[in-house]
Amino acid sequence: GLCLGLVVVGIVMGFSSEEEAPYLAPVTNTPANGVAPKTDGVASPFAIPPRKIRAATQAIEKYKKEVDEQGISLESEKNLYRIGNLYHSDLFDYEQAIIYYQRIADEYPESNKIQMVYFAIADSYSKLDKYEEEMRTYEIIMSKFPPDSPPHQLAAEKRKGTR
């Protein structure tokens, strides 16, 4: 159990260098639109502050430009991951997050972050209430990793424990 928990933490955190850390935020259970309903006229703690939206949007544009300029490269792979994380964890735009995570899976199938990418895709589908796609993603994870590996075990656990 603890081992699987550590894998999840690693998956959510992705990169750990200080340069990249400001662009990553923990995964939350915020609604897909990023805004929880107001209660008694009090703003929700889940509303995304405008400055956070601006900062995330500016970072996304910067990374997109770098990806366009660099083509297929390790730096582009990192930037695609950063873009996916910004859409997922800062803007709660799970559809866009999936697009960028999927690009990594398609363009960098041997990435050392591939397990994190697939779990982020599954989490995004979960937040969008797309159960079939989420389960299909866990099946992909299970097909790509050996049965005794933590990613395979976590995916199998998620498949049987979800709904």
Side-chain angles (χ1 to χ4, degrees):
L2 176 62
C3 184
L4 291 177
L6 293 174
V7 169
V8 171
V9 169
I11 289 166
V12 170
M13 295 308 295
F15 293 105
S16 61
S17 78
E18 290 182 19
E19 175 215 352
E20 296 158 350
Y23 299 109
L24 302 176
V27 175
T28 64
N29 290 324
T30 305
N33 68 358
V35 181
K38 290 185 179 184
T39 314
D40 298 325
V42 177
S44 161
F46 294 114
I48 305 171
R51 71 180 183 285
K52 185 173 184 177
I53 293 171
R54 274 191 309 277
T57 304
Q58 288 172 349
I60 287 169
E61 292 309 313
K62 172 187 174 239
Y63 293 141
K64 283 181 180 179
K65 183 178 179 205
E66 289 177 10
V67 167
D68 290 342
E69 292 170 356
Q70 296 162 337
I72 302 287
S73 68
L74 179 58
E75 197 57 33
S76 285
E77 175 190 351
K78 287 180 181 179
N79 284 337
L80 290 171
Y81 191 72
R82 291 171 180 144
I83 293 167
N85 284 343
L86 285 162
Y87 276 122
H88 184 281
S89 299
D90 286 21
L91 300 177
F92 310 107
D93 186 340
Y94 304 115
E95 295 281 353
Q96 285 297 310
I98 290 167
I99 290 169
Y100 285 92
Y101 291 138
Q102 191 61 53
R103 275 191 63 187
I104 298 167
D106 295 342
E107 296 174 22
Y108 303 92
E110 301 301 317
S111 170
N112 64 356
K113 293 179 286 306
I114 201 70
Q115 72 185 29
M116 295 181 290
V117 166
Y118 280 117
F119 278 104
I121 291 170
D123 183 67
S124 296
Y125 281 131
S126 172
K127 291 197 162 87
L128 292 168
D129 289 324
K130 293 187 174 184
Y131 178 74
E132 297 301 320
E133 291 90 341
E134 177 188 2
M135 292 301 109
R136 204 167 326 135
T137 305
Y138 290 134
E139 289 169 8
I140 291 169
I141 295 167
M142 292 167 60
S143 73
K144 291 192 176 291
F145 295 94
D148 61 341
S149 70
H152 182 103
Q153 292 173 359
L154 180 59
E157 192 176 294
K158 291 279 198 176
R159 267 202 45 71
K160 72 179 176 188
T162 305
R163 295 193 191 173

